[in-house]
């Protein structure tokens, strides 16, 4: 907490807050919006009653609940605790039961141009078959299943099949390395891994199964089987008995399957995310509360009309946004949605806009980093496509700068579609702070207002709520249905990380400011977590990866501001002398290339530092803590700030001199 990535008072962010443009909803949009201003009043008057109403209205319960909130074991809150339900039943079967089996659930487009259209009826049958198949592989209620898949329909089917039998899934993003996958499989003690031979990315087949093989070869796991989807058709190594082709067991399985009705508090999934220490945290979510808020927010914030909208969230299923706004929220609400497998510039930089035009996408949810990348490519690219179907745009993952917001509104939204800037986290499970598109006059760059039923405050160091015009730390002061229920296997870390900074209050780890109207502006992380292209990375985790290389004695990592990716990873390393240095090339550039590769192997390509600077010293306080603030100044080419707390104030000039010499 002493070392902040960006403080609520940093000057660059100060400029943002002078934004005065506002965009009220058009009367036509406001009139048809799913949620109106009364929702705030209703929730303020009776927050628990508000959530209970939504839980009943949006979900089917096999056993209705009577208890709304159980706070007897706080901060391990329980919601709707005496109710029973099934997440997969809510996401698919009940739409079929309601006569909507022919509605398209998924409009899937592979990067290679392959297309599939899957109705709710077909999806229900696929999920039931997959549930039968994974049960036959020995997976029971409560067992964990690791999922390491590309963005193909089987990914949705796999998650829902797990949910159907009450086996918590743990999705690992396909960009993570074998090592990262191994530690996640171990931590969750997964019994089954569901993967694919590979997926298509950047115009070619990118393998996945070898990483699973390598992860399992590291040993110690409880994995009995690996279920493999054939996507790219490449050669794969095969371990008989352990490995099973999806196409050998799923299509043959019965489409009859009785969902396992679970308690509302039954774990639905674990999802690992970076924290302030080297070890990723297994954030776990349960069933009833999570589904309630995923569905409510999807209905309220995206204003989904299931009969007419075509919704598209570009997030990968490996992140929380993919869980809540590709799988659970939209499907529970009966949406028709686009899922695209590949990268936005394959085979050309207009691929996304071509997809919007082709499917008539009406609601688009994406990340600021993607918007900034498209800005860089130039507006004539989207201008070449008909984007007039779009009626609402969303943003998530990091603060969106006003220029990017204005560009998104004008170039993609035709100055017509409202933008919802949605703040939330893996831990919150669903959107917490966002405009309501039919109610709020939006402001470029601000997430603005807690949703109905959510209570958020900006607190000062002492834990007091700040007034308008002041900054501090974002905190959530009342429990919410989709809140995390813990860190898998680490009760103590859960209490320490989120509930100790301000006792009894959830500490989000983000800096925030309230403007003169009381609207909330998110200012980035205040801890050792970086946000690169909307992906959370831990400075400590990357530092540990670097020092695990024999050449490295010490490493310090900072997140430096980056025009496109928001932040970029910049590492400073001190190399070892002695025996370890024996096989080290003299050329720093070669050393740097090796170390980047090493981080890619330890964590995944997303964690590779943009730059690694070889230095002879690191700036430290007298108590030995690395002063990342100063390193960030260097990484961002600023003059170095206050060095008076350094043990050796000469260090910074040494580092800067070192930078001057060619690396
Ligand atoms: C950041 C992603 C500003 C924030 C859903 C948070 C945002 C972290 C926004 C969570 C936003 C997310 N404006 N910052 N609209 N949305 N963040 O767990 O720092 O991958 O703490 O969840 O992303 O990242 P996570």
């Amino acid at each position: 907490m002493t070392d902040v990535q960006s403080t609520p008072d940093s000057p660059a962010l100060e400029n943002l807050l002078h934004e005065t443009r506002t965009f009220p909803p058009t009367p036509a949009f406001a009139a048809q919006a799913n949620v109106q201003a009364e929702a705030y009043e209703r929730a303020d008057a009776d927050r628990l009653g508000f959530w209970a109403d939504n839980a009943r209205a949006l979900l089917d319960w096999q056993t209705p609940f009577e208890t709304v909130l159980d706070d007897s074991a706080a901060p391990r809150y329980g919601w709707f605790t005496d109710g029973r339900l099934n997440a997969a039943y809510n996401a698919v079967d009940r739409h079929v039961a309601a006569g909507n089996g022919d509605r398209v659930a998924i409009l899937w487009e592979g990067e290679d141009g392959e297309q599939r259209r899957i109705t709710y009826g077909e999806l229900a049958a696929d999920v039931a078959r997959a549930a039968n198949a994974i049960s036959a592989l020995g997976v029971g209620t409560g067992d964990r299943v690791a999922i390491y898949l590309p963005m193909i329909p089987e990914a949705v089917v796999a998650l829902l099949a797990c949910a159907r039998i009450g086996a918590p899934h743990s999705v690992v993003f396909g960009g993570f390395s074998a090592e990262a996958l191994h530690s996640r499989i171990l931590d969750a003690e997964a019994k089954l891994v569901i993967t694919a031979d590979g997926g298509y990315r950047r115009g070619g087949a990118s393998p996945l199964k070898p990483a699973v093989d390598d992860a399992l070869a590291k040993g110690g796991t409880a994995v009995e089987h690996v279920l493999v989807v054939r996507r790219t058709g490449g050669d794969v190594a095969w371990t008989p008995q352990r490995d099973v082709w999806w196409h050998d067991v799923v299509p043959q399985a019965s489409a009859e399957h009785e969902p396992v009705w679970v308690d509302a508090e039954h774990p639905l999934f674990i999802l690992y995310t970076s924290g302030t220490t080297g070890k990723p945290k297994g954030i776990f979510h349960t069933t009833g509360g999570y589904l309630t808020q995923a569905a409510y927010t999807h209905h309220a914030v995206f204003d989904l009309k299931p009969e007419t909208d075509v919704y598209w969230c570009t997030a990968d299923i490996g992140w929380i946004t993919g869980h809540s706004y590709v799988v659970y929220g939209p499907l529970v609400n009966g949406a028709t949605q686009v899922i695209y497998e590949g990268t936005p510039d394959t085979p050309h930089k207009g691929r996304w806009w071509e997809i919007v035009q082709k499917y008539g996408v009406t609601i688009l949810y994406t990340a600021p980093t993607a918007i900034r990348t498209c800005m860089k490519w130039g507006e004539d690219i989207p201008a070449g496509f008909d984007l007039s179907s779009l009626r609402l745009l969303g943003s998530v993952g990091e603060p969106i700068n006003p220029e990017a917001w204005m560009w998104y509104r004008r170039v993609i939204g035709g100055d017509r579609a409202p933008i919802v800037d949605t703040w939330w986290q893996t831990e919150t499970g669903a959107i917490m702070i966002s405009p309501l598109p039919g109610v709020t006059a939006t402001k470029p760059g601000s997430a603005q207002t807690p949703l109905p039923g959510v209570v958020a405050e900006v607190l000062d160091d002492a834990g007091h709520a700040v007034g308008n015009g002041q900054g501090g730390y974002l905190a959530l002061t009342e429990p919410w249905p989709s809140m995390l229920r813990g860190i898998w296997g680490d009760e103590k870390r859960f209490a320490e990380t989120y509930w100790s900074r301000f006792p009894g209050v959830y500490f989000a780890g983000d800096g925030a400011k309230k403007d003169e109207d009381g609207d909330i502006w998110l200012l980035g992380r205040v801890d050792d977590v970086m946000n690169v292209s909307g992906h959370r990375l831990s400075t400590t985790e990357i530092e540990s990866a670097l020092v695990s290389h024999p050449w490295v004695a010490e490493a310090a990592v900072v997140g430096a501001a980056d025009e496109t990716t928001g932040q970029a990873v910049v590492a400073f390393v001190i190399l070892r002398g002695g025996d370890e240095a024996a096989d080290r090339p003299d050329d720093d550039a070669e050393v740097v290339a090796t170390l980047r590769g090493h981080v890619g192997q330890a964590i995944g390509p997303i964690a590779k530092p943009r730059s690694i600077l070889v230095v002879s010293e690191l700036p430290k306080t007298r108590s030995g803590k690395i002063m990342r603030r100063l390193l960030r100044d260097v990484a961002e080419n600023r003059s170095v700030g206050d060095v008076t707390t350094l043990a050796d104030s000469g260090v910074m000039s040494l580092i800067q001199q070192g930078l001057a010499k060619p690396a």
Side-chain angles (χ1 to χ4, degrees):
M1 276 306 305
T2 46
D3 187 44
V4 293
Q5 285 285 331
S6 74
T7 65
D9 304 316
S10 85
L13 293 162
E14 199 58 38
N15 299 334
L16 283 180
L17 304 171
H18 298 301
E19 180 62 58
T20 51
R21 291 168 287 199
T22 58
F23 299 89
T26 62
F29 194 103
Q32 60 82 61
N34 284 350
V35 174
Q36 303 290 342
E38 295 89 71
Y40 295 109
E41 286 153 41
R42 161 81 181 103
D44 283 349
D46 175 14
R47 196 170 51 85
L48 298 185
F50 166 84
W51 283 120
D53 287 353
N54 278 301
R56 293 190 184 104
L58 296 165
L59 301 178
D60 279 6
W61 295 80
Q62 190 248 2
T63 308
F65 60 88
E66 276 172 26
T67 306
V68 180
L69 176 67
D70 174 2
D71 59 5
S72 58
R76 201 329 188 156
Y77 292 91
W79 286 81
F80 316 123
T81 42
D82 48 358
R84 288 170 78 77
L85 76 172
N86 180 280
Y89 179 84
N90 273 282
V92 283
D93 302 68
R94 68 185 181 123
H95 302 308
V96 181
N100 293 321
D102 291 337
R103 184 186 298 161
V104 175
I106 298 173
L107 294 161
W108 178 75
E109 171 131 343
E111 193 186 79
D112 59 348
E114 191 183 336
Q115 292 172 37
R116 287 163 66 184
R117 212 180 227 286
I118 301 167
T119 63
Y120 274 94
E122 291 162 344
L123 187 60
D126 286 348
V127 171
R129 287 193 180 96
N132 279 317
I134 64 174
S135 299
L137 291 174
V139 179
T141 304
D143 289 339
R144 273 81 63 201
V145 176
I147 295 179
Y148 189 65
L149 281 170
M151 285 297 281
I152 53 178
E154 286 81 357
V156 177
V157 173
L159 269 71
L160 294 175
C162 291
R164 204 172 166 92
I165 63 172
H169 50 74
S170 165
V171 182
V172 179
F173 174 58
F176 279 119
S177 68
E179 242 176 281
L181 178 61
H182 179 240
S183 66
R184 286 158 174 78
I185 289 173
L186 276 182
D187 190 76
E189 296 170 285
K191 209 169 168 184
L192 172 73
V193 181
I194 306 181
T195 189
D197 50 357
Y200 287 99
R201 284 191 69 73
R202 299 185 205 291
S206 153
L208 285 168
K209 170 86 168 30
V212 176
D213 292 335
D214 290 352
L216 298 183
K218 291 177 196 295
T221 76
V223 171
E224 292 167 6
H225 289 288
V226 179
L227 183 57
V228 190
V229 179
R230 183 143 69 200
R231 165 72 184 121
T232 58
D235 285 341
V236 288
W238 205 251
T239 305
Q241 265 86 53
R242 188 196 70 183
D243 297 353
V244 180
W245 282 113
W246 176 283
H247 59 251
D248 281 342
V249 294
V250 176
Q252 292 78 349
S254 163
E256 298 293 315
H257 182 269
E258 176 63 18
V260 175
W261 305 104
V262 296
D263 289 344
E265 283 299 327
H266 186 77
L268 179 60
F269 65 86
I270 307 171
L271 185 59
Y272 288 84
T273 189
S274 296
T276 53
T277 71
K279 191 173 180 285
K281 304 179 281 198
I283 303 299
F284 83 93
H285 285 282
T286 58
T287 308
Y290 170 79
L291 287 182
T292 298
Q293 197 170 335
Y296 174 72
T297 52
H298 185 263
H299 164 83
V301 176
F302 300 118
D303 193 48
L304 180 89
K305 308 286 191 284
E307 293 82 14
T308 48
D309 276 316
V310 178
Y311 166 85
W312 183 20
C313 166
T314 65
D316 191 280
I317 250 161
W319 309 113
I320 190 68
T321 309
H323 283 59
S324 303
Y325 299 107
V326 175
V327 181
Y328 292 107
L331 294 177
V332 166
N333 289 341
T336 295
Q337 68 174 321
V338 169
I339 296 181
Y340 170 56
E341 178 187 35
T343 38
D345 52 349
T346 309
H348 58 83
K349 293 191 169 81
R351 185 70 187 268
W352 276 16
W353 316 121
E354 188 177 69
I355 290 174
V356 168
Q357 172 180 293
K358 174 169 165 190
Y359 296 102
V361 172
T362 58
I363 303 168
L364 177 69
Y365 190 31
T366 192
T369 184
I371 300 163
R372 291 192 297 263
T373 302
C374 293
M375 282 172 78
K376 208 166 60 185
W377 292 340
E379 64 182 82
D380 32 319
I381 294 173
F385 298 90
D386 179 4
L387 307 182
S388 61
S389 56
L390 289 169
R391 68 177 193 93
L392 190 144
L393 303 174
S395 172
V396 61
E398 51 178 317
I400 177 164
N401 43 311
E403 308 79 73
W405 195 103
M406 290 302 296
W407 189 92
Y408 195 26
R409 179 176 162 91
R410 180 175 59 81
V411 178
I412 307 302
D415 266 329
R416 160 191 82 244
I419 297 181
V420 287
D421 174 6
T422 63
W423 179 88
W424 58 295
Q425 309 177 298
T426 306
E427 292 87 339
T428 68
I431 300 171
M432 302 295 284
I433 305 179
S434 166
L436 280 178
V439 179
T440 316
T442 55
K443 279 183 193 171
S446 170
Q448 296 184 284
T449 328
L451 289 177
V454 172
V455 189
E457 297 280 1
V458 180
L459 303 181
D460 65 15
D461 259 319
H464 300 124
V466 305
N468 289 355
Q470 290 177 312
Y473 303 98
L474 184 70
L476 303 166
T477 52
E478 294 291 347
W480 63 98
S482 63
M483 64 198 299
L484 77 165
R485 301 309 200 256
I487 296 177
W488 194 255
D490 203 343
E491 201 63 38
K492 195 164 149 253
R493 192 173 174 196
F494 171 60
E496 278 168 9
T497 310
Y498 304 107
W499 304 96
S500 68
R501 177 71 176 78
F502 303 112
V505 166
Y506 175 87
F507 172 68
D510 278 29
K513 188 152 182 166
K514 273 189 160 177
D515 69 14
E516 295 302 335
D517 304 324
D519 282 324
I520 296 175
W521 295 71
L522 279 310
L523 304 178
R525 300 288 306 188
V526 294
D527 53 15
D528 294 337
V529 174
M530 295 170 289
N531 192 326
V532 179
S533 296
H535 301 154
R536 273 167 73 167
L537 296 170
S538 144
T539 52
T540 334
E541 198 180 354
I542 299 175
E543 285 165 5
S544 316
L546 285 167
V547 294
S548 74
H549 193 282
W551 296 344
V552 179
E554 229 185 319
V557 165
V558 298
D562 183 282
E563 254 188 33
T564 308
T565 58
Q567 285 187 310
V569 180
V570 176
F572 296 81
V573 296
I574 301 178
L575 299 178
R576 290 198 198 185
D579 291 348
E580 279 81 10
D583 65 338
R584 193 177 78 211
D586 290 333
D587 181 2
D588 274 359
E590 274 178 56
V591 173
V592 164
T594 305
L595 295 181
R596 287 187 77 236
H598 180 73
V599 173
Q601 226 161 38
I603 305 173
I606 48 168
K608 281 187 190 175
R610 181 185 69 188
S611 39
I612 298 181
L613 306 168
V614 178
V615 295
S616 55
E617 294 283 351
L618 288 169
K620 289 190 184 155
T621 60
R622 286 173 196 96
S623 61
K625 194 168 173 11
I626 294 173
M627 292 192 70
R628 293 205 182 79
R629 175 171 62 78
L630 300 177
L631 293 174
R632 219 162 20 247
D633 287 342
V634 174
E636 294 175 352
N637 297 317
R638 260 197 312 277
S639 60
V640 173
D642 184 6
V643 296
T644 47
T645 53
L646 278 182
D648 171 2
S649 59
V651 169
M652 286 318 292
S653 47
L654 263 179
I655 290 178
Q656 287 177 312
Q657 275 160 29
L659 295 184
K661 85 168 197 251

